[in-house]
Amino acid sequence: MTNQYSITLLPGDGIGPEIMDVTVKVLETVGKQCDIKFNFQTALIGGAAIDAKGVPLPPETVETCLKSDSVLLAAIGGYKWDNLPRELRPETGLLGIRAALGLFANLRPATILPQLIDASSLKKEVVEGVDIMVVRELTGGIYFGQPKGIFTSETGEQRGVNTMAYTVSEIDRIARVAFETAQKRQKRLCSVDKANVLDVSQLWRDRLIKMSEEYPDVELTHMYVDNAAMQLVRNPKQFDTIVTGNLFGDILSDAAAMLTGSIGMLPSASLGANRPGLFEPVHGSAPDIAGQDKANPLAQVLSAAMMLRYGLNEPEAATKIEEAVLKVLDLGYRTGDIMSEGAKAVGCQEMGKVLLEVLEGN
Ligand code: IPM
Ligand code: MG
């Protein structure tokens, strides 16, 4: 029987449309091989939506996403929209779709591929074998807490306010995802907080400890965020699964990504409860190389693999894509961002072409 899925594509800005093109072809090819039919529809987000509709997240985009089985996003943003007021900026569209889909769990893997070990700025012995999964809370914490805003006091002085807040249920649901993620990995979960200073972190830590009773097979440790930043660059191999709040996760996942030296290779998944998940590369829209056929499409392609694995429960198709990506690297094909001596330099489309050849040869 053919499994059918409705997928909303959000190509967004910059290199987004180019890498999305490659990814759609990969999905169609793997779909044929695994008896999966994808029905794609494309919607506007970010700068593209600002230009066409005047807002970064038009209501019809939210509607289309909510009606689909999964959402595949490329990237948003660019110089052109950098000076708009906050509510009209492309980033606001991204935060809006996360909130609208209730995507509270953000999974950001940082895996060192042996083929690309020289791309890391750290010593080979430090990064070899690194395989970290950052589970970042995505719809709470200081990004969304109330009160927020810039207020003027009676004396006329302005005061900027954001609030870091987590309720027990917000902590518990992300903790559950983290414990279950760790269970499928090396069963080591490190919770990162700032419990030596912040009350919200103390509650976070208490709840994690409480929930660990339900997961006796997972080893739970705790680390303060400043130390975690240091340990990530000092000895990243000590980490398996990391769980943390929205802001700490934003920062630490960038550091973890950079351990690999190839942010153009990293996918991510954002999951909610009973709503379509959203899958996107960790990198941005790279406006400086947009439209020049230079972009690395592999993080987008691997995001589609995460969609198959975590969003649609099609692990076989996911594995096919992941294996094809590794094979293409083994064959020596590299886009500019991961270029090394002796490798075969290709552009975005050419990378897509070899990927399809490898898939069809499998
Ligand atoms: C990310 C980005 C976003 C965030 C921005 C673009 C709003 O940095 O996905 O990590 O801070 O969450
Ligand atoms: Mg970020």
Side-chain angles (χ1 to χ4, degrees), residues 202-213:
Q202 189 57 56
L203 183 64
W204 176 283
R205 192 177 278 221
D206 294 345
R207 296 308 300 176
L208 265 286
I209 292 170
K210 178 110 189 58
M211 188 164 292
S212 70
E213 291 165 13

Side-chain angles (χ1 to χ4, degrees), residues 70-71 128 141 191 200 205 209 216 218 251 262 298 305 309 344:
S70 261
V71 180
E128 205 162 34
S191 169
V200 54
R205 192 177 278 221
I209 292 170
V218 176
I251 299 164
S262 40
L298 296 178
R309 189 180 302 285
K344 299 172 196 141

Side-chain angles (χ1 to χ4, degrees), residues 228-298:
M230 191 164 75
Q231 296 300 329
L232 262 178
V233 288
R234 192 187 73 90
N235 174 21
K237 271 182 262 191
Q238 68 186 288
F239 295 104
D240 169 38
T241 307
I242 292 176
V243 61
T244 190
N246 206 343
L247 180 62
F248 299 160
D250 178 44
I251 299 164
L252 293 182
S253 65
D254 264 22
M258 215 47 223
L259 294 173
T260 69
S262 40
I263 201 164
M265 295 295 303
L266 296 174
S268 77
S270 302
L271 308 171
N274 309 319
R275 300 227 197 117
L278 181 144
F279 303 84
E280 60 175 314
V282 165
H283 63 69
S285 59
D288 52 324
I289 57 162
Q292 300 171 32
D293 194 32
K294 287 183 181 166
N296 180 355
L298 296 178

